[in-house]
């Protein structure tokens, strides 16, 4: 061994005790748990942002598959005009109100509306506020 290698050589660290090893592993586990929690929180926040963002789009007139249907509108509690299609049914048969899923519009319920109208029910398909042709934030 030459003089230079002896000068650069580091002294050996003493062996860790079982308590120190356990403490080190517990610290690493805590850091990993915090990182995992922060990641899950970020994913939940991003998903929430996507689900609550307005989903406005042009829907257009009622389709021919709903005979006699027409466009209607009514005021929401916030003062916004909710847009909808109304398809008449047989007298005294009843009316079914169809609500679309989040981030969709009334067209997503069209097949159900056609089925119900053929069964004699009147049907109202509306766009929830900030969806389809209904304004909102």
């Amino acid at each position: 061994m030459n003089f230079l290698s002896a000068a650069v050589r580091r002294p050996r660290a003493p062996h860790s005790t079982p308590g120190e090893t356990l403490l080190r592993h517990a610290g690493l586990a805590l850091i990993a748990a915090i990182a995992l929690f922060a990641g899950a929180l970020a994913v939940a926040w991003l998903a929430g942002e996507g689900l609550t963002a307005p989903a406005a789009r042009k829907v257009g007139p009622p389709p021919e598959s709903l005979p006699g249907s027409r466009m209607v509108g009514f005021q929401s509690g916030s003062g916004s005009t909710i847009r909808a299609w109304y398809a008449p049914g047989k007298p005294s048969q009843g009316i079914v109100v169809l609500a679309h899923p989040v981030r969709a519009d009334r067209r997503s319920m069209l097949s159900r509306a056609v089925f119900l109208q053929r069964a004699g029910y009147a049907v109202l398909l509306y766009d929830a506020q900030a969806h389809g042709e209904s304004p909102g934030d």
Side-chain angles (χ1 to χ4, degrees):
M1 179 180 326
N2 64 30
F3 173 74
L4 186 58
S5 64
V8 176
R9 192 178 210 202
R10 294 184 186 167
R12 286 187 169 197
H15 293 301
S16 300
T17 66
E20 292 171 335
T21 302
L22 181 63
L23 195 58
R24 185 173 50 244
H25 287 135
L28 291 174
L30 180 62
I31 291 170
I34 290 170
L36 185 64
F37 178 74
L41 193 61
V43 167
W45 182 76
L46 290 172
E49 283 289 311
L51 290 173
T52 59
R57 59 182 63 94
K58 180 80 173 135
V59 175
E64 293 178 10
S65 58
L66 286 173
S69 60
R70 65 178 196 252
M71 293 183 77
V72 296
F74 53 92
Q75 293 295 312
S76 71
S78 68
S80 185
T81 301
I82 302 299
R83 306 285 181 208
W85 293 332
Y86 171 75
K90 294 177 184 170
S92 71
Q93 183 70 19
I95 184 168
V96 177
V97 178
L98 295 174
H100 61 77
V102 175
R103 309 282 308 144
D105 60 59
R106 59 192 132 152
R107 294 175 295 185
S108 68
M109 303 304 287
L110 185 57
S111 62
R112 290 174 177 91
V114 169
F115 170 79
L116 290 164
Q117 189 187 37
R118 286 182 184 158
Y121 294 95
V123 183
L124 180 73
L125 299 96
Y126 72 95
D127 287 332
Q129 195 161 353
H131 289 75
E133 293 180 324
S134 296
D137 293 326

